[in-house]
Amino acid sequence: MRKLLFMLMCIFISIPTIANAHTELSSSNPKEGEMVTEELDEIVLDFAGAIEELSTMKLMKDGEEVSLSQVQVQDKKMFGTPSAPLENGSYIIDWTIAGEDGHPISGKVSFSVQIEGMHEEKEAAQPKAANQENEQQDKGEVEKENQTSSNPVTTIITVLLFVILGLSLVLLFRKKRK
């Protein structure tokens, strides 16, 4: 009975550390919500731990993918090079990585580009209020997705912990009754 109790305690203590072993985004260039005012030559995502070569990113503008000429992974960083200069507007970096533990993790980073003198005719045709509304919607969606990206894993692990703990207590009390 003591062995069973000891094993349960070890499992209970070790599972939260396993769940938190996932690599997460520690910084990015451009940063979340940043307004880029100069030409962006390279996108850099820096993660807390090493990431696998399978990791990738997409650059999205208005729901359409913007071409990246190169996506490269080096240790804890992922680099993306835009094929052409970015137009003014709102962008989302949609990234997916495979961390050291092999689990896929994804997230988004939103930013906007506002370079004076670039594509003035295009911007004059679009009402500013519509642009601001779209930016606010994009930011709200990104914040929701970033908040929920790791919640399912944590929820599943928590539920499993309680099921294991409950079953262990049932087995423990059954043995005491006999």
Side-chain angles (χ1 to χ4, degrees):
M1 183 162 88
R2 286 186 179 183
K3 288 181 183 179
L4 178 64
L5 188 58
F6 178 73
M7 286 186 351
L8 289 174
M9 292 298 287
C10 289
I11 290 172
F12 190 72
I13 290 171
S14 67
I15 287 181
T17 58
I18 293 170
N20 291 331
H22 296 298
T23 301
E24 59 186 42
L25 183 66
S26 58
S27 67
S28 65
N29 183 32
K31 295 179 176 90
E32 174 67 36
E34 182 178 352
M35 173 77 71
V36 177
T37 57
E38 296 177 0
E39 190 172 322
L40 185 65
D41 296 327
E42 186 173 55
I43 297 168
V44 180
L45 302 177
D46 191 8
F47 295 90
I51 57 175
E52 299 293 325
E53 291 290 325
L54 300 172
S55 303
T56 188
M57 75 169 86
K58 292 180 192 176
L59 184 60
M60 307 296 286
K61 181 181 183 215
D62 301 328
E64 294 187 25
E65 188 171 348
V66 176
S67 177
L68 295 174
S69 64
Q70 183 178 12
V71 175
Q72 196 174 0
V73 175
Q74 293 176 351
D75 193 33
K76 296 180 181 184
K77 294 185 179 187
M78 185 169 15
F79 303 91
T81 308
S83 300
L86 299 180
E87 297 179 0
N88 288 344
S90 297
Y91 291 85
I92 296 175
I93 304 166
D94 188 359
W95 55 266
T96 303
I97 64 163
E100 290 177 314
D101 60 0
H103 288 94
I105 304 167
S106 61
K108 297 178 187 279
V109 176
S110 64
F111 68 97
S112 56
V113 174
Q114 185 64 46
I115 301 174
E116 287 187 32
M118 178 184 276
H119 307 287
E120 290 175 352
E121 299 125 19
K122 243 186 183 181
E123 289 179 6
Q126 296 178 342
K128 288 184 180 180
N131 285 343
Q132 289 175 349
E133 185 178 314
N134 288 340
E135 286 178 21
Q136 288 175 350
Q137 280 182 334
D138 289 344
K139 285 181 184 177
E141 290 172 9
V142 168
E143 286 175 8
K144 267 194 233 175
E145 289 177 13
N146 282 341
Q147 290 172 356
T148 60
S149 64
S150 64
N151 285 345
V153 173
T154 306
T155 304
I156 291 170
I157 290 174
T158 305
V159 169
L160 286 175
L161 275 174
F162 283 115
V163 168
I164 291 171
L165 186 61
L167 289 174
S168 301
L169 289 174
V170 167
L171 290 174
L172 188 65
F173 286 118
R174 273 191 181 171
K175 286 185 178 181
K176 278 188 173 182
R177 288 182 185 177
K178 292 180 180 182

